[in-house]
Amino acid sequence: MDLSVVVPTLNGRDRLAACLDALDAHAPDAEVIVVNGPSTDGTTGMIRDRDDVDVLVEVSTRTANVSRNAGLEVVTGDVVALLRYDLVVEPSWLAGLEGGLPEAPVVTGPTHRTLDGGMTTEESERRRVGSREVTYFNGGNVAFRRSVLDALDGFDEYLETGGDRDAAHRLAALDYAVAWRPEMCVRQEYSADGGVTTGDRGVEFRSLAYRLVKNYGVQPAAATGTIRRALRDALDAGRDVVRGDLAPTEWFGTGRAVVTGVARGVADGLAARVEDRTPTRNPHGVSDRSDRAVARYDWR
């Protein structure tokens, strides 16, 4: 197995250094590609001073899927892993990856998160959407056979969030299995507040509606998931208003952003579905453009 590891990063120099140290210790023969950008914390200099990074790709767009695809353009391995910059692989990671590949062409594993009260971990997630059984994967800790990534044409760059969820739906459409290997584990150290940030709800629901409509069309499988999620969030926010933890104006503003996001996501999802009618369902993938990188340093 020739393994390539793509590590997208943005303004995380110290955490990236720890990630690379762990890769060098536990997967020393892997080809390592760091996709940076646009960072302003000295990441480029830190990478250029190391001897365990094979390629550094600088990009100007702050989205995970663009960074992922920029890395996929330069990998040479027949197996490609995606690793988030703030995660460190554990000693069993490589053995778990290798052990999962005979079972399925996509392998993922859990993230161990250290909190004040102890440690949490993830479990495999699977859901039926319409007639498909979709197995989701950990977008910051996953490995693919190169042929699978070619069939997917990488990740959909329309999506600002949820690119790994979208890819899971497309894997199911292409009849690719996903293996869950607990040994393929990574670790993330959290600060006291848990390190959780709140995202843009409009963007989140636009991405959700887009990927469901793009993959399933306008049918109950797509509508039910979006509506259920919107109603659950609205009820949770309503309880916050009653308790006085959230202003009514903020609740209405968020609701407006959700409705607008869903409407735009549905329209754009329909357009994408028409543009790519194949099971790949990726009109904004790796093959769509060749100008992602603004600079590239190749030390192979």
Side-chain angles (χ1 to χ4, degrees), residues 217-300:
V218 181
Q219 56 174 291
T224 301
T226 306
I227 293 171
R228 184 172 57 242
R229 176 74 175 276
L231 288 175
R232 184 175 67 245
D233 285 9
L235 287 172
D236 289 343
R239 294 188 190 100
D240 290 341
V241 171
V242 172
R243 289 193 298 264
D245 297 332
L246 183 69
T249 53
E250 187 175 350
W251 184 33
F252 286 120
T254 300
R256 187 183 307 113
V258 168
V259 171
T260 302
V262 168
R264 182 178 170 190
V266 168
D268 292 346
L270 285 171
R273 187 171 178 84
V274 171
E275 189 173 350
D276 186 353
R277 298 173 183 268
T278 72
T280 299
R281 297 291 183 198
N282 191 7
H284 310 292
V286 173
S287 64
D288 184 53
R289 51 184 289 209
S290 58
D291 61 346
R292 296 176 185 87
V294 296
R296 184 179 297 161
Y297 306 93
D298 192 329
W299 297 289
R300 288 175 295 199

Side-chain angles (χ1 to χ4, degrees), residues 5-10 16 19 33-37 39 57 59 63-69 71 81-86 139-140:
V5 183
V6 176
V7 186
T9 188
L10 176 64
L16 173 64
C19 172
I33 292 95
V34 173
V35 184
N36 175 46
S39 293
V57 182
V59 296
T63 62
N65 288 338
V66 171
S67 294
R68 289 164 170 166
N69 286 349
L82 298 174
L83 182 65
R84 212 169 68 199
Y85 73 94
D86 58 346

